[in-house]
Amino acid sequence: MKPFEYLEPTTVSEACALLKKGGAEARVFAGGALMTILMKEGLLQPKTLINIKRISGLKGIDFHPQEGLTIGALVTHHELETSKVIQERLPILREVEKEVANIRVRNVATVGGNLASGEPLTDLPQVFIALDARVKIASSGGERVILLEELYVDYYQTRLAEDEIITQVVVPPLPGRSGIEYIRFSSSSVVDKPCVGVATRVTLGPDRKTCESVRIVLGCVAPTPVRARKAEGLLAGKPLDPKLLEEAASLAAGECHPLSDLRGSEPYKRAVVGVLVKRAFPRAYERAQQG
Amino acid sequence: MKKQIHVRVNGLETELEVEPRMTLLEVVREQLGLTGAKLGCDIQVCGACTLLLNGKPVSACSVLAVDADGGDVLTIEGLAGQGSLHPLQEAFMEFGALQCGYCTSGFILTAKAMLEENPRPGEAEIRSYLAGNFCRCGCYQEIVQAIKRVAGR
Amino acid sequence: MEETETGESIRRLDYEAKITGRAQYLADMKVPGMCHGKILRSPHPHARIRSLDTSKALSIRGVLAVLTRDDIVKDQGIDPYYGPVFKDQTIVAVEKVRHVGDPVAAVAALEPEAAEEALSRIEIDYEEMPAVLDVSEAMAKGAPLLHESVRMPPHGFADLAELKPVEGTNICTHFKLVKGDVEKGFAESDYIFEDTFTLPTTQHCSLEPHGCIASVERDGRIVVWSTTQNPFVVRTQLANIFKVPVSKVRIVVPYLGGGYGGKVYPKLEPLTVALARKARRPVRIVLSREEVFYTITKHAAVIRMKTGVKKDGTLVARQCEVLLDTGAYAEIGPRVAKKSGYTAAGPYKIPNVKIDSMSIYTNRPPAGAFRGFGVSQSAWAHESQMDVIAAALNMDPLEIRLKNGYEEGSEFVTGETLTGIGLKECVEKVASAVGWREKGERKSNGPLRRGKGIACMIKATITPSISCAVVKLNEDASATIYTGTVEMGQGSDTVLAQIVAREMGISAENIQVLGVDTDVAPYDLTTSSSRSTFHMGKAVQLAAQDLLNQLKQIVVQDYGVPPDQVKFSNGRVQFLETVLDYQEILFKRFGMQGGTLVGQGQVKTKVTHERGVKTTSSFWFLGAGAAEVEVDCETGKLRLVKYVTAVDVGKAINPLGCRQQLEGAAITGMGQALFEEIVFDNGQIVNPNFVDYVLPSLGDMPPSIEPILVEVPHLEGPFGAKGIGETALIPVAPAIANAIFDAVGVRIRDLPIKAEKIFLALEEAKKKL
């Protein structure tokens, strides 16, 4: 890696100020899992890295009955994986995290870093989006909160300004009679990056049959994680029906824009989207019925 | 622009002078002469560079040495006690869990961390925790058997 | 510690050093005064070098030397052309570059970063030329030639003497083998099958990348530490290149972090030596992972197989055309073509065979030795086609193999008689272990379908070849073994010690196997071709026998005992009523606690003549594999449920070591079958890293991989043992493909077997219904 200045602010506002000062030549450095790759490749050569790991208040996983689950941006994947609060409140996250990269990356890479990267071949964003998660973003001007879904613009591009840092992820409490499922598909090794990732969340009405609200979030198959809204629309307001599900899966397959690459051709990835929707949705539905 | 850092390496308080861009692996190997951890892929995949940082397995090839400041680093050289090997080291030898040996330090340190988190893992958990450590010689079965033995299975 | 009749799984000699992190590998080593080297590589697949300007590079602080073609071409002390078979490689590119990654220049500097910086300051004016990026482009009429002419060495390998490039083409080697008359055979056949099978370029991916430290003295003495599997060949090549006597070249080999064929023959050594010579300081070069991908690969192949059979499944005629993509330089490609050719028809009794096996130059990184050496390519074809035939004839794939398979005493394609052939035992054992005959009860679970497949193989080892060993008996009856066999994880140090221990009745714990140093060890051809247990093992056994003979002579002379009364037993000597330790005999001879006895052994194998050869191979590798798979019909995703492999090991000297080799080779075979491929884009490698070149992980393993040791003792091997390192890799891919066919009725003919290929094949099949 080329030489750089390493600054270690101890507060968020200090960090944002440093980012603002450094402009395009300054980058946030959290776990560094992705950053080090980009820097070693020469794709990024920032003059200044702003290490945010010494800032307190960015860790912590808590549950508040009103707000829901709050996850500090510096929480690592492994911390999420092993958290008792998560195990109690949102065990799906543990299942998802177990399959992310490898244990070493999980010990170092952070939730905030993962979400802020905009990298396409990853798992968490689609799961959080299916849960209507929000992110708190700090800048030198203050703080704002947006839906995670609105963060993403394109491959590796988010709406974060140069001086902005994600400080927390907030997952609102899941309504009762909700179920969630995430299926990660690798077209090769189990430790390879995902080829397709589909998150579904169903909330049932009081009859425990009708889908009151549906989320189907497709990951790895578009420039950003994408809600398959047509598929969602088809399934919402109705009970689970195999023919309808088949049709929804087909719609979802058309609602993404996969790239043909080493992990699969575009038509293949679409086909896999369809299969995963068909498999994930009934499981989420069943969990909702039991919930 | 060099920086002074203070790290406890294998229990020994150590002062180091490093550039921010230096990785933990480089510093441990070149400055401390602890060459048990190896460079394999430089991209956090193979696990040959695994070190325990504050008890957790990390890809030392991609951790900045400055981020270890104030922390604890364990390398394979620090595993054996006075005159005796760690049970994992004994078990690896007994079961033939190594051939060329290049991945071995990484596997043993990772297994140690796993057993500290979970002293009685089942086979599925062992395979899952270690899935990110590669052995091109193909000792996977023996490695799992060795760890199961130490885990008391 | 378990024992078979002659085998003992003793703890390996290299284990303590490796388990404590003390074992030294190349990149761990420093030499006083050492500086660091980096290599500048071509960005083009084919281009003429118009000019180079290194002036800016030399001005970087800390840069000690820059090496370019000017240094090697103008220097009378250097013959820049080298190569294990043809001298078609140069230390750095001279007139043109022939692949992306081809070394063009090198820099030595005090710090690696300075060297890297200097590389970026070297200015090169390239004139791009049309490139041939695969075998079909290279073979096309009017294709640009990679090598207008190829220099031949004055003395090459005996087994490759007749192989020459075909002038005016990109055909690097064309090996031909004919038995009987295939056209007549086809005419006599009831059915004829024609199929084409393909494999991509792959890579060894040893976790340890290649590295080299070179130091050159003013008197011409060259000392090299290198990650090489055959230091003696490298020594000879360096002596030729730098025009010094062989005695002036010393190669030292530390432990290797894996080789698998990727570290044979000169790789970094000529360049590192040339750079060290120029820098006048020792230089260390360690390749980055990306550079390793551009240094050496495994041959991609296109294999056409035409087979005629009788309706009862008897093979009558087989015609094979094997096209191997050998990349920009011949390397050991000619031997790969030859070896691949010899066994391209498979381990079967076929009266009429015609084989054309070619290695073709292309503008890709050079391909060379890879565990399996051309045979994993041809076995992919012959074992896949066997099942195509079986299916068409409604025959059990197991039965058709047992029907046609080689047996003890069978006639090989060359007319020679095969001995030491445990093929059918291996096939039967894997069939049994995978529950072959219970196939009918296969489960089907929603979209998941299970199937079983089987495959077998035969391979030869380099013949002729040479291994020499020295064993020293010390005054306390401990022994020291001098060997050129490189310990790269296969456990050679230990097996050699076990052989000497058993031969002499001493404990393996009292034996030291010295590190490989060509100044000290006697000549060994190579640590490859699964040859070390057989050849070097025999050599150390002979050396040990030489020592016993010397001890016997001492007893005869110094104790006045008739020779026929001297007996050896359990590490002691017995004559009449007396039992003596070796120490006492040595003390008697030397009159003090001191003195040395030196025993030596030489093994030299021969091929008598080409057609009607007596021994194409000093021993044969036979093995089989069986796989049970589960296919997800909706995604094509495959899961390995079970894998078993059986290998004829001759005799298992160290059973645990044998099992390690079988499992290890099988696991690499799985990677090659399911995941691995180097993807090219206009000559550039798209995935020269471990994120995008996918290796088999622990998470991908079936719940069990069962290694089965079959023992058909080889008459000439040490205690009946023979080589096994490559065998278990070879049947994996076809066994899996055959299992997939069994499960879902689709035939995949191209590796790797990706989920998408199965998916597409299933879609195709649906359309046909």
Side-chain angles (χ1 to χ4, degrees), chain A residues 2 37 41 185-193 262-265 267-268 271-272 275-276 278-279, chain C residues 117 290 447 632 634-637 674-675 679 686-687 691-692 694-695 697 699-700 754-756 759:
Chain A
K2 292 261 183 294
I37 295 177
E41 286 287 308
F185 179 80
S186 162
S187 56
S188 66
S189 164
V190 304
V191 299
D192 189 16
K193 293 195 172 193
L262 296 174
R263 291 173 176 84
S265 71
Y268 178 65
V272 173
V275 174
L276 296 192
K278 265 191 294 195
R279 290 182 182 177
Chain C
E117 179 67 34
E290 179 172 340
D632 181 334
E634 288 177 352
T635 60
K637 193 79 198 283
L674 300 175
F675 304 144
V679 177
V686 169
N687 57 342
V691 171
D692 295 321
V694 179
L695 293 171
S697 75
D700 302 305
K754 291 176 152 181
E756 183 168 349
F759 174 83

Side-chain angles (χ1 to χ4, degrees), chain B residues 25-42:
Chain B
L25 183 71
E26 277 162 13
V27 168
V28 163
R29 284 177 56 83
E30 307 296 323
Q31 291 194 28
L32 297 178
L34 297 167
T35 56
K38 310 293 183 198
L39 185 63
C41 71
D42 208 12

Side-chain angles (χ1 to χ4, degrees), chain C residues 601-624:
Chain C
Q602 282 185 19
V603 170
K604 179 173 161 8
T605 60
K606 291 195 295 194
V607 166
T608 312
H609 50 271
E610 260 329 313
R611 270 308 284 122
V613 292
K614 288 265 174 71
T615 41
T616 298
S617 182
S618 53
F619 66 87
W620 294 94
F621 314 177
L622 289 315

Side-chain angles (χ1 to χ4, degrees), chain B residues 27-153:
Chain B
V27 168
V28 163
R29 284 177 56 83
E30 307 296 323
Q31 291 194 28
L32 297 178
L34 297 167
T35 56
K38 310 293 183 198
L39 185 63
C41 71
D42 208 12
I43 204 168
Q44 306 157 59
V45 173
C46 74
C49 70
T50 307
L51 291 179
L52 297 188
L53 177 59
N54 303 322
K56 303 192 198 85
V58 299
S59 293
C61 70
S62 304
V63 168
L64 301 180
V66 289
D67 278 347
D69 192 10
D72 246 280
V73 172
L74 185 69
T75 78
I76 189 75
E77 293 90 340
L79 200 58
Q82 291 283 51
S84 68
L85 294 173
H86 190 279
L88 281 168
Q89 290 172 306
E90 290 286 1
F92 267 55
M93 290 198 288
E94 187 186 331
F95 282 86
L98 63 152
Q99 292 183 41
C100 81
Y102 210 72
C103 72
T104 305
S105 155
F107 264 105
I108 291 182
L109 290 172
T110 307
K112 174 183 180 349
M114 178 190 66
L115 293 173
E116 247 136 56
E117 269 191 72
N118 178 3
R120 303 261 304 161
E123 181 158 336
E125 287 167 276
I126 295 173
R127 285 174 182 254
S128 171
Y129 199 97
L130 289 162
N133 284 70
F134 282 81
C135 173
R136 189 50 155 172
C137 294
C139 294
Y140 292 135
Q141 279 198 151
E142 285 78 18
I143 289 169
V144 171
Q145 285 161 17
I147 296 170
K148 277 169 82 169
R149 165 65 63 87
V150 175
R153 299 247 172 220

Side-chain angles (χ1 to χ4, degrees), chain C residues 572-698:
Chain C
R572 307 171 95 200
V573 181
Q574 223 176 319
F575 54 92
L576 304 170
E577 299 304 309
T578 314
V579 176
L580 290 174
D581 293 328
Y582 299 159
Q583 292 95 305
E584 295 172 86
I585 300 170
L586 291 165
F587 192 93
K588 178 90 168 165
R589 164 54 55 96
F590 293 106
M592 55 182 272
Q593 192 168 11
T596 303
L597 292 186
V598 178
Q600 59 160 331
Q602 282 185 19
V603 170
K604 179 173 161 8
T605 60
K606 291 195 295 194
V607 166
T608 312
H609 50 271
E610 260 329 313
R611 270 308 284 122
V613 292
K614 288 265 174 71
T615 41
T616 298
S617 182
S618 53
F619 66 87
W620 294 94
F621 314 177
L622 289 315
E628 185 177 0
V629 305
E630 186 177 79
V631 178
D632 181 334
C633 294
E634 288 177 352
T635 60
K637 193 79 198 283
L638 183 84
R639 187 171 75 85
L640 278 176
V641 174
K642 190 171 189 180
Y643 190 79
V644 303
T645 184
V647 169
D648 173 4
V649 307
K651 255 312 180 196
I653 292 175
N654 187 317
L656 174 57
C658 291
R659 289 199 300 273
Q660 285 178 324
Q661 284 298 290
L662 267 60
E663 287 170 37
I667 289 171
T668 296
M670 287 171 198
Q672 301 277 303
L674 300 175
F675 304 144
E676 297 180 46
E677 71 177 318
I678 294 183
V679 177
F680 289 93
D681 177 18
N682 210 33
Q684 298 267 0
I685 298 179
V686 169
N687 57 342
N689 61 70
F690 284 0
V691 171
D692 295 321
Y693 182 98
V694 179
L695 293 171
S697 75
L698 172 53

Side-chain angles (χ1 to χ4, degrees), chain A residues 70-147:
Chain A
T70 58
I71 301 168
L74 285 181
V75 169
T76 66
H77 291 280
H78 194 53
E79 283 165 354
L80 207 60
E81 185 188 343
T82 52
S83 154
K84 286 199 167 53
V85 177
I86 294 293
Q87 182 55 18
E88 240 179 80
R89 300 289 177 183
L90 205 52
I92 186 76
L93 284 183
R94 176 169 141 161
E95 297 311 308
V96 175
E97 287 290 21
K98 266 203 215 155
E99 305 201 298
V100 166
N102 57 57
I103 185 65
R104 300 178 304 280
V105 170
R106 297 204 293 279
N107 276 326
V108 147
T110 62
V111 173
N114 183 221
L115 298 182
S117 68
E119 60 181 309
L121 301 184
T122 188
D123 304 292
L124 277 188
Q126 42 274 33
V127 181
F128 280 133
I129 291 172
L131 294 164
D132 294 340
R134 288 171 157 65
V135 282
K136 288 190 185 162
I137 299 168
S139 68
S140 30
E143 189 183 77
R144 61 186 178 119
V145 183
I146 62 170
L147 276 174

Side-chain angles (χ1 to χ4, degrees), chain C residues 200-429:
Chain C
T201 308
T202 62
Q203 224 281 328
H204 317 66
C205 299
S206 342
L207 285 196
E208 179 203 32
H210 300 70
C212 183
I213 301 173
S215 175
V216 182
E217 307 304 319
R218 289 184 66 104
D219 67 350
R221 169 81 160 151
I222 297 172
V223 181
V224 169
W225 294 261
S226 177
T227 56
T228 181
Q229 292 174 234
N230 46 8
F232 287 93
V233 174
V234 172
R235 182 178 75 164
T236 306
Q237 296 266 310
L238 290 178
N240 292 340
I241 294 168
F242 296 100
K243 301 185 180 176
V244 293
V246 160
S247 60
K248 289 289 194 185
V249 181
R250 177 186 181 203
I251 316 259
V252 177
V253 186
Y255 288 122
L256 255 50
Y260 325 115
K263 293 173 175 168
V264 290
Y265 304 112
K267 294 279 185 290
L268 285 183
E269 300 87 354
L271 187 151
T272 314
V273 171
L275 189 57
R277 224 159 153 274
K278 184 138 197 227
R280 289 188 234 225
R281 290 173 74 137
V283 174
R284 184 178 80 183
I285 299 182
V286 177
L287 294 188
S288 70
R289 179 54 54 188
E290 179 172 340
E291 287 182 289
V292 175
F293 279 94
Y294 279 108
T295 297
I296 188 68
T297 65
K298 171 184 168 183
H299 290 75
V302 177
I303 302 163
R304 286 186 256 275
M305 195 148 291
K306 180 175 176 182
T307 306
V309 306
K310 291 266 189 237
K311 54 176 156 252
D312 70 351
T314 309
L315 298 177
V316 179
R318 182 164 266 174
Q319 186 173 334
C320 316
E321 182 196 71
V322 182
L323 295 177
L324 298 161
D325 183 335
T326 211
Y329 299 104
E331 255 267 345
I332 198 64
R335 184 180 283 142
V336 177
K338 184 165 173 168
K339 276 289 189 297
S340 187
Y342 266 122
T343 54
Y348 303 111
K349 298 172 286 201
I350 312 175
N352 306 287
V353 175
K354 179 173 190 284
I355 294 167
D356 287 89
S357 180
M358 286 171 264
S359 61
I360 314 291
Y361 283 123
T362 65
N363 291 109
R364 285 183 173 190
F370 181 102
R371 199 170 188 178
F373 212 76
V375 180
S376 58
Q377 288 93 330
S378 45
W380 168 238
H382 64 68
E383 287 310 277
S384 293
Q385 199 189 50
M386 280 309 262
D387 269 40
V388 169
I389 295 170
L393 299 182
N394 211 22
M395 247 184 111
D396 183 341
L398 173 63
E399 293 312 316
I400 197 173
R401 286 175 170 83
L402 292 175
K403 187 186 183 62
N404 291 284
Y406 280 139
E407 287 145 337
E408 198 70 25
S410 290
E411 190 190 280
F412 187 56
V413 186
T414 55
E416 67 198 85
T417 306
L418 293 171
T419 58
I421 306 296
L423 178 71
K424 292 194 181 176
E425 290 90 328
C426 289
V427 172
E428 288 279 23
K429 286 232 149 75

